[in-house]
mmCIF file with all atom_site columns, all heavy atoms in Angstrom:
data_model
loop_
_atom_site.group_PDB
_atom_site.id
_atom_site.type_symbol
_atom_site.label_atom_id
_atom_site.label_alt_id
_atom_site.label_comp_id
_atom_site.label_asym_id
_atom_site.label_entity_id
_atom_site.label_seq_id
_atom_site.pdbx_PDB_ins_code
_atom_site.Cartn_x
_atom_site.Cartn_y
_atom_site.Cartn_z
_atom_site.occupancy
_atom_site.B_iso_or_equiv
_atom_site.pdbx_formal_charge
_atom_site.auth_seq_id
_atom_site.auth_comp_id
_atom_site.auth_asym_id
_atom_site.auth_atom_id
_atom_site.pdbx_PDB_model_num
ATOM 1  N N   . LEU A 1 168 ? 3.709  39.630 -15.501 1.00 98.00 ? 189 LEU A N   1
ATOM 2  C CA  . LEU A 1 168 ? 4.368  38.419 -15.012 1.00 98.00 ? 189 LEU A CA  1
ATOM 3  C C   . LEU A 1 168 ? 4.743  37.528 -16.183 1.00 98.00 ? 189 LEU A C   1
ATOM 4  O O   . LEU A 1 168 ? 3.959  37.369 -17.133 1.00 98.00 ? 189 LEU A O   1
ATOM 5  C CB  . LEU A 1 168 ? 3.442  37.630 -14.085 1.00 98.00 ? 189 LEU A CB  1
ATOM 6  C CG  . LEU A 1 168 ? 3.204  38.151 -12.672 1.00 98.00 ? 189 LEU A CG  1
ATOM 7  C CD1 . LEU A 1 168 ? 2.204  37.246 -11.969 1.00 98.00 ? 189 LEU A CD1 1
ATOM 8  C CD2 . LEU A 1 168 ? 4.506  38.194 -11.888 1.00 98.00 ? 189 LEU A CD2 1
ATOM 9  N N   . VAL A 1 169 ? 5.918  36.917 -16.092 1.00 98.00 ? 190 VAL A N   1
ATOM 10 C CA  . VAL A 1 169 ? 6.336  35.914 -17.067 1.00 98.00 ? 190 VAL A CA  1
ATOM 11 C C   . VAL A 1 169 ? 6.750  34.670 -16.273 1.00 98.00 ? 190 VAL A C   1
ATOM 12 O O   . VAL A 1 169 ? 7.739  34.705 -15.534 1.00 98.00 ? 190 VAL A O   1
ATOM 13 C CB  . VAL A 1 169 ? 7.495  36.398 -17.953 1.00 98.00 ? 190 VAL A CB  1
ATOM 14 C CG1 . VAL A 1 169 ? 7.883  35.301 -18.953 1.00 98.00 ? 190 VAL A CG1 1
ATOM 15 C CG2 . VAL A 1 169 ? 7.111  37.679 -18.682 1.00 98.00 ? 190 VAL A CG2 1
ATOM 16 N N   . LEU A 1 170 ? 5.981  33.604 -16.404 1.00 98.00 ? 191 LEU A N   1
ATOM 17 C CA  . LEU A 1 170 ? 6.310  32.330 -15.762 1.00 98.00 ? 191 LEU A CA  1
ATOM 18 C C   . LEU A 1 170 ? 7.239  31.565 -16.690 1.00 98.00 ? 191 LEU A C   1
ATOM 19 O O   . LEU A 1 170 ? 7.008  31.513 -17.910 1.00 98.00 ? 191 LEU A O   1
ATOM 20 C CB  . LEU A 1 170 ? 5.050  31.519 -15.475 1.00 98.00 ? 191 LEU A CB  1
ATOM 21 C CG  . LEU A 1 170 ? 4.292  31.873 -14.185 1.00 98.00 ? 191 LEU A CG  1
ATOM 22 C CD1 . LEU A 1 170 ? 3.820  33.309 -14.179 1.00 98.00 ? 191 LEU A CD1 1
ATOM 23 C CD2 . LEU A 1 170 ? 3.118  30.923 -13.973 1.00 98.00 ? 191 LEU A CD2 1
ATOM 24 N N   . THR A 1 171 ? 8.281  30.955 -16.142 1.00 98.00 ? 192 THR A N   1
ATOM 25 C CA  . THR A 1 171 ? 9.405  30.499 -16.957 1.00 98.00 ? 192 THR A CA  1
ATOM 26 C C   . THR A 1 171 ? 9.463  28.996 -17.207 1.00 98.00 ? 192 THR A C   1
ATOM 27 O O   . THR A 1 171 ? 10.427 28.513 -17.784 1.00 98.00 ? 192 THR A O   1
ATOM 28 C CB  . THR A 1 171 ? 10.723 30.947 -16.300 1.00 98.00 ? 192 THR A CB  1
ATOM 29 O OG1 . THR A 1 171 ? 10.787 30.407 -14.973 1.00 98.00 ? 192 THR A OG1 1
ATOM 30 C CG2 . THR A 1 171 ? 10.820 32.459 -16.243 1.00 98.00 ? 192 THR A CG2 1
ATOM 31 N N   . GLY A 1 172 ? 8.451  28.249 -16.815 1.00 97.00 ? 193 GLY A N   1
ATOM 32 C CA  . GLY A 1 172 ? 8.436  26.819 -17.068 1.00 97.00 ? 193 GLY A CA  1
ATOM 33 C C   . GLY A 1 172 ? 8.667  26.010 -15.800 1.00 97.00 ? 193 GLY A C   1
ATOM 34 O O   . GLY A 1 172 ? 9.193  26.511 -14.808 1.00 97.00 ? 193 GLY A O   1
ATOM 35 N N   . SER A 1 173 ? 8.258  24.760 -15.871 1.00 96.00 ? 194 SER A N   1
ATOM 36 C CA  . SER A 1 173 ? 8.262  23.904 -14.687 1.00 96.00 ? 194 SER A CA  1
ATOM 37 C C   . SER A 1 173 ? 9.298  22.794 -14.802 1.00 96.00 ? 194 SER A C   1
ATOM 38 O O   . SER A 1 173 ? 9.412  22.144 -15.845 1.00 96.00 ? 194 SER A O   1
ATOM 39 C CB  . SER A 1 173 ? 6.874  23.265 -14.519 1.00 96.00 ? 194 SER A CB  1
ATOM 40 O OG  . SER A 1 173 ? 6.849  22.405 -13.415 1.00 96.00 ? 194 SER A OG  1
#
Side-chain angles (χ1 to χ4, degrees):
L189 285 177
V190 180
L191 277 60
T192 58
S194 178

